Amino acid sequence: MCNRSLSGLHNEETGMDRSQKTDAVAELNRTFNEVGVVVVTRNLGMTVKQSTDLRNKMRDAGASYKVSKNRLAKIAAEGTDYSVIADLLKGPTALATSADPVAAAKIAVEFAKTNDKLEIVGGAMGKQLLDANGVKALASLPSLDELRGKLVGLIAAPATKLATVTQAPAAQLARVFGAYAAKDAA
């Protein structure tokens, strides 16, 4: 998991005892090993309501948003692909994460556009470090669900056309036979 010790962290700094710190680091480490993207944001005085609104939007998109102690996040990131974000963890930061490499970035960027209290610092997709512009570019891509929908649409379209083409001659024949039957009956 991590090489660094938690003993250097003082309880006054974090308000947590050693077991809470260990649990927080383990949870963050597990998160770093499971996600496709980490977006680092800076909280510039968001209200509790604004933070809750952002968390709800993240949850709805299959992402999460957590405020974390920078030092604990740095320890948790060690030994993972996301160790590259260590230099971004300064000041009042929070981490937006998602398995979908676009979801967390998209929600964070959209929220930051309407709320000047949230700043996009940067992030990472695996070992690839992203600056704020990189996160914004990532947010402009379609999500995995949108891509899946487009792919299903592309696959379904030829099948629909094929069914229409194969049914058309049968329908025409039925109309012709129906016309002959009506003619013979008359």
Side-chain angles (χ1 to χ4, degrees):
M1 177 174 83
C2 320
N3 299 339
R4 282 175 44 190
S5 165
L6 298 173
S7 62
L9 298 175
H10 301 293
N11 288 338
E12 305 85 51
E13 285 180 32
T14 62
M16 304 168 87
D17 66 27
R18 186 175 300 219
S19 68
Q20 289 172 315
K21 292 175 195 172
T22 303
D23 292 344
V25 168
E27 182 182 340
L28 272 171
N29 183 268
R30 191 171 32 259
T31 298
F32 289 143
N33 283 308
E34 294 173 353
V35 298
V37 69
V38 173
V39 178
V40 180
T41 65
R42 184 160 292 123
N43 180 344
L44 304 171
M46 285 196 317
T47 65
V48 172
K49 183 184 179 321
Q50 290 168 329
S51 293
T52 302
D53 185 35
L54 177 56
R55 279 189 180 89
N56 290 338
K57 288 179 180 183
M58 287 283 182
R59 190 176 317 110
D60 291 345
S64 70
Y65 181 77
K66 289 184 183 177
V67 174
S68 175
K69 300 292 182 187
N70 292 336
R71 194 155 177 198
L72 295 180
K74 286 177 185 178
I75 293 169
E78 284 182 2
T80 72
D81 289 346
Y82 293 99
S83 60
V84 296
I85 66 167
D87 290 341
L88 301 176
L89 299 172
K90 295 180 177 122
T93 60
L95 305 173
T97 59
S98 64
D100 177 343
V102 176
K106 190 176 289 273
I107 300 299
V109 168
E110 286 174 9
F111 192 86
K113 284 179 187 175
T114 61
N115 189 325
D116 61 351
K117 304 283 186 194
L118 183 73
E119 176 187 357
I120 306 297
V121 177
M125 268 182 55
K127 293 180 180 180
Q128 179 63 50
L129 184 64
L130 303 170
D131 62 5
N133 289 330
V135 172
K136 290 174 185 171
L138 181 63
S140 68
L141 297 174
S143 71
L144 282 177
D145 286 340
E146 291 169 338
L147 287 175
R148 286 180 185 128
K150 288 179 182 181
L151 199 59
V152 167
L154 289 172
I155 292 169
T160 304
K161 287 179 184 174
L162 181 63
T164 304
V165 168
T166 57
Q167 287 177 354
Q172 288 173 346
L173 282 175
R175 282 193 293 275
V176 170
F177 289 143
Y180 278 121
K183 182 179 170 188
D184 287 342

